[in-house]
Amino acid sequence: MRKITPVYSGSDATPVLNDIKVSEGQKDFLLLGPAGPERELSILPSPFVSSSSIKDVFDPQKSLPVLIGCGLGHALAEITAWLEQHVGPEFHLAVVDKEEDIQQISGVRERYSHFRNIVWIDGADTKSALATLSKWQLEYGGLAFFPIVNTSYLRLDREYYSAIREALVSSAAVDFWGKARYQKFQDKSPRILLITSKYFLIGEIEAACQRMGIEYQLLKLPDDELSLDAYLMQLMQAVISFKPDFAMTINHLGVDREGVLQDFLSKIRLPFASWFVDNPHLILYHYDNLTSPWTAIFTWDADNLPMLRQMGFEHVFYLPLGTDHLRFVPPADINALRKQYGQWISDVSFVGNSMLYKVRKRLEDIVPPKLMTDAYPAVAAGFAESDERSVSVYLQKHHPEQYRAFVELETMERQLGYEAMLTWEATLQYRLGCVEQTLSFNPLIVGDQGWFELLENTPHKWRYFHELTYYTDLPNFYPLSNINFNCTSKQMKGAVNQRIFDVPAAGAFVLTDWREQIENLFEPGKEVICFHSPDEIPELIKHYLKHPKERQKVIQAARKRVLSHHCYENRLQTIIDTMRSTFGV
């Protein structure tokens, strides 16, 4: 147990703090000792105590001074006075000192609290202290550390303060920021830093890298056990050791909401690719400091491009979904598959969520006023029929009273919650209307229990199966349906969903709703069969059930197109080519 005792001189009326006695176990020592303030001042480099040229040792334009141990404040007084004279009141300085008991007696921290640009670092362990220093360094563009060590503090906690000193000295010697600004895209094959998550697409991108012989490294996302500072430290280490040409993530995962990562990548000039496969509007509102000249945004829906540009993103590109052609493959033995999964065999199947519980849960969360609650089914029906992509713009144009109530929802979270709810309700109504057109064919519906409630009063027979897993079930499910029926979410009025690629890759037939962007991906009538109106669904189903050879012809053409244009290797190559042409020298 350590005991701290102040040592005073002068009269009782006007005591002067001369030193601090530190007692720990059987050892006692004075923080300053017989030399007094001169001992603390002796730690200062010559520029702070003489008239020698500052740039001979310390350049405030290129260095970040860090005082390790503030003691009684004698050295700190000289440093701040010098910095005020040569840099001005907005100078930057960090003080690493975790000795709260000494600070209370000396009053140093309180005396210097008016200096807004002094960063006090008092983390109890070296890891947290160094992480805070790295974050502070990032704020000043990666200037080199200039450590000033109060050697008395090595006696207080040698392990802690020595580790801080060695890390800062090593950092200055290594010149991380200079090494991080290497030339990108110098080789024919790039090196990619993949920011990993549980989102399914990162696994597919990693597998595509392996098949294409592209070097990559995985960087784990921060979780409850990994702070943002520690995450940045890992990123810094990966940049120096791996030297990626660009970093990549899905749906902005791994990007902190405060924009620290974006600033870091900009300062080291590392290009960053973010591929949105969900609505970016519902994701990006969380973030500050959104845009960066070193960031490229890819979106699966071309309709998002104008909105992303309006948000200030300079580099925005269309990149549709794709498929893993080694996961979704035609069955080697269809009879064996039928024997194993007989319950999945059907003429017509539909895989999809009813959206019923999603709508109800979102209504419970946002608690909209009665005006909006009463009207949302009719408003959603109108939005489903409209060509307008934005819920808020649709409300403003066609339902001004609803729009005023929408604006008054107070928080962005409630507004976005209402937009999502209305989109889901529009999807529910549209999806139900389409599925009802299949009911005379006794379809197999795979999804949540909400379908029982939605189809409670139908006179037709239909079969139900619980939700299936994407990776293990669907590759075997699709080939067991003569017709895989698909109708797209109203979240994407012009884009196509994953099923359009997965089903033909698995050697199966898909009947889908027409979407504007589908004609850029497949040849309608030859490689994909579409309905433009739900009324067309029964006749199309009837026709293709009666003509299996026509189905097979479409399957073969669609699979050929998928294998040549719509695998993840194709998507990854597009990202690589775009990043090289955008950010390469």
Side-chain angles (χ1 to χ4, degrees):
M1 183 71 179
R2 187 171 75 179
K3 181 181 179 182
I4 303 297
T5 307
V7 178
Y8 294 104
S9 65
S11 64
D12 292 341
T14 57
V16 176
L17 181 66
N18 275 351
D19 211 336
I20 292 178
K21 181 181 178 182
V22 181
S23 303
E24 196 163 14
Q26 300 298 315
K27 296 181 179 180
D28 295 336
F29 68 91
L30 294 172
L31 195 63
L32 299 184
E38 287 75 16
R39 178 176 180 177
E40 198 169 282
L41 292 172
S42 68
I43 71 173
L44 295 174
S46 58
F48 293 104
V49 292
S50 71
S51 59
S52 62
S53 172
I54 182 67
K55 293 187 179 181
D56 289 346
V57 178
F58 169 77
D59 186 344
Q61 303 303 318
K62 297 181 179 180
S63 305
L64 292 172
V66 181
L67 176 61
I68 302 176
C70 61
L72 270 63
H74 301 297
L76 183 59
E78 294 292 331
I79 293 170
T80 54
W82 193 97
L83 288 171
E84 273 197 297
Q85 179 182 352
H86 292 83
V87 180
E90 298 301 316
F91 65 81
H92 37 259
L93 171 68
V95 179
V96 180
D97 192 326
K98 65 180 179 64
E99 316 306 325
E100 294 183 9
D101 47 0
I102 294 177
Q103 291 177 25
Q104 289 177 358
I105 292 175
S106 68
V108 170
R109 191 158 178 169
E110 183 178 350
R111 292 203 310 272
Y112 288 87
S113 61
H114 63 287
F115 287 110
R116 294 179 300 171
N117 286 350
I118 294 182
V119 175
W120 293 86
I121 298 171
D122 52 14
D125 60 89
T126 56
K127 185 177 180 180
S128 63
L130 289 171
T132 304
L133 279 167
S134 296
K135 187 174 180 180
W136 176 65
Q137 184 185 42
L138 176 61
E139 293 174 2
Y140 287 96
L143 298 178
F145 289 121
F146 186 85
I148 304 167
V149 185
N150 187 336
T151 53
S152 297
Y153 274 59
L154 299 180
R155 301 181 67 184
L156 294 173
D157 191 335
R158 176 170 294 276
E159 182 178 355
Y160 179 88
Y161 291 105
S162 291
I164 298 290
R165 176 185 62 181
E166 291 169 8
L168 297 191
V169 171
S170 297
S171 173
V174 167
D175 183 20
F176 164 81
W177 300 94
K179 290 181 178 294
R181 294 187 180 114
Y182 50 85
Q183 290 292 319
K184 313 299 190 296
F185 300 104
Q186 296 301 294
D187 297 326
K188 184 177 180 180
S189 180
R191 300 161 69 86
I192 306 175
L193 183 64
L194 292 177
I195 299 178
T196 66
S197 69
K198 295 179 181 178
Y199 201 90
F200 74 96
L201 268 183
I202 283 293
E204 275 77 348
I205 295 300
E206 180 182 6
C209 284
Q210 293 171 354
R211 293 194 289 266
M212 297 169 70
I214 292 173
E215 290 188 73
Y216 69 93
Q217 183 168 315
L218 301 177
L219 180 69
K220 183 183 178 183
L221 279 173
D223 52 31
D224 293 339
E225 299 179 356
L226 188 64
S227 67
L228 174 62
D229 294 334
Y231 172 52
L232 286 176
M233 290 289 285
Q234 286 191 6
L235 178 57
M236 293 166 72
Q237 293 169 2
V239 168
I240 288 297
S241 61
F242 181 60
K243 287 185 167 44
D245 291 291
F246 67 93
M248 179 183 172
T249 191
I250 303 294
N251 283 350
H252 244 43
L253 292 168
V255 180
D256 62 289
R257 297 182 178 184
E258 295 76 25
V260 174
L261 178 70
Q262 295 274 61
D263 287 343
F264 172 78
L265 295 176
S266 294
K267 281 163 183 168
I268 65 173
R269 300 166 192 168
L270 180 64
F272 179 66
S274 185
W275 185 11
F276 280 90
V277 295
D278 285 312
N279 191 339
H281 175 63
L282 299 178
I283 297 172
L284 291 175
Y285 88 95
H286 290 289
Y287 296 88
D288 298 321
N289 302 320
L290 273 176
T291 60
S292 162
W294 294 92
T295 295
I297 302 294
F298 297 83
T299 174
W300 97 110
D301 187 349
D303 291 338
N304 293 326
L305 296 175
M307 178 267 290
L308 290 166
R309 293 189 181 106
Q310 288 174 5
M311 296 179 77
F313 288 104
E314 182 179 350
H315 310 295
V316 180
F317 308 95
Y318 168 56
L319 187 69
L321 301 173
T323 191
D324 184 344
H325 66 290
L326 296 185
R327 184 179 301 278
F328 289 90
V329 297
D333 187 339
I334 188 65
N335 292 324
L337 191 66
R338 286 172 177 162
K339 185 176 180 180
Q340 183 177 1
Y341 300 106
Q343 71 273 35
W344 291 349
I345 297 173
S346 64
D347 275 338
V348 181
S349 69
F350 173 74
V351 178
N353 193 284
S354 72
M355 311 306 290
L356 183 66
Y357 301 136
K358 287 177 175 284
V359 169
R360 288 177 178 171
K361 181 63 169 62
R362 191 52 62 96
L363 279 170
E364 292 174 2
D365 292 342
I366 62 177
V367 194
K370 189 174 185 302
L371 171 71
M372 303 181 81
T373 303
D374 290 345
Y376 83 84
V379 175
F383 176 69
E385 294 297 323
S386 168
D387 291 332
E388 182 58 60
R389 269 52 170 174
S390 165
V391 169
S392 61
V393 172
Y394 172 76
L395 293 177
Q396 191 172 13
K397 288 181 178 179
H398 301 283
H399 298 276
E401 288 188 8
Q402 296 288 322
Y403 180 72
R404 286 192 291 270
F406 169 78
V407 172
E408 292 173 1
L409 285 177
E410 299 171 353
T411 66
M412 178 67 76
E413 285 76 11
R414 290 184 71 199
Q415 290 178 358
L416 289 170
Y418 177 82
E419 289 190 50
M421 182 279 296
L422 200 74
T423 303
W424 292 344
E425 174 64 24
T427 299
L428 182 157
Q429 295 179 24
Y430 172 69
R431 187 169 285 178
L432 176 60
C434 290
V435 169
E436 285 177 334
Q437 296 293 328
T438 73
L439 293 179
S440 60
F441 301 94
N442 189 25
L444 173 60
I445 298 178
V446 177
D448 62 297
Q449 294 281 328
W451 284 111
F452 287 102
E453 188 171 338
L454 292 180
L455 299 174
E456 182 179 9
N457 298 319
T458 180
H460 299 286
K461 292 182 179 180
W462 58 282
R463 295 187 297 138
Y464 173 80
F465 201 85
H466 59 76
E467 293 169 307
L468 298 175
T469 61
Y470 178 81
Y471 285 119
T472 58
D473 292 333
L474 289 183
N476 293 320
F477 178 87
Y478 292 143
L480 296 178
S481 298
N482 289 326
I483 294 178
N484 290 275
F485 181 72
N486 180 61
C487 52
T488 314
S489 167
K490 286 299 179 181
Q491 172 183 292
M492 39 207 286
K493 291 188 174 182
V496 301
N497 60 19
Q498 190 78 41
R499 196 161 294 120
I500 301 305
F501 306 104
D502 291 343
V503 174
F509 180 87
V510 61
L511 171 63
T512 186
D513 46 356
W514 179 86
R515 284 293 181 264
E516 182 180 346
Q517 294 167 37
I518 203 168
E519 296 189 2
N520 298 321
L521 305 168
F522 296 94
E523 183 180 342
K526 179 181 178 182
E527 298 171 337
V528 65
I529 305 302
C530 304
F531 60 90
H532 288 72
S533 167
D535 295 340
E536 301 174 6
I537 295 171
E539 285 301 317
L540 285 170
I541 291 178
K542 188 182 301 182
H543 175 84
Y544 282 99
L545 285 179
K546 286 183 177 179
H547 298 86
K549 290 183 179 180
E550 288 189 33
R551 288 203 314 269
Q552 193 60 37
K553 191 174 180 179
V554 173
I555 291 170
Q556 291 173 354
R559 189 164 192 273
K560 182 178 179 181
R561 173 71 70 172
V562 167
L563 294 180
S564 61
H565 289 83
H566 302 314
C567 299
Y568 285 114
E569 284 90 335
N570 303 110
R571 301 298 181 254
L572 181 57
Q573 190 61 56
T574 298
I575 291 173
I576 291 170
D577 293 343
T578 303
M579 296 299 285
R580 186 186 297 275
S581 63
T582 303
F583 301 105
V585 178

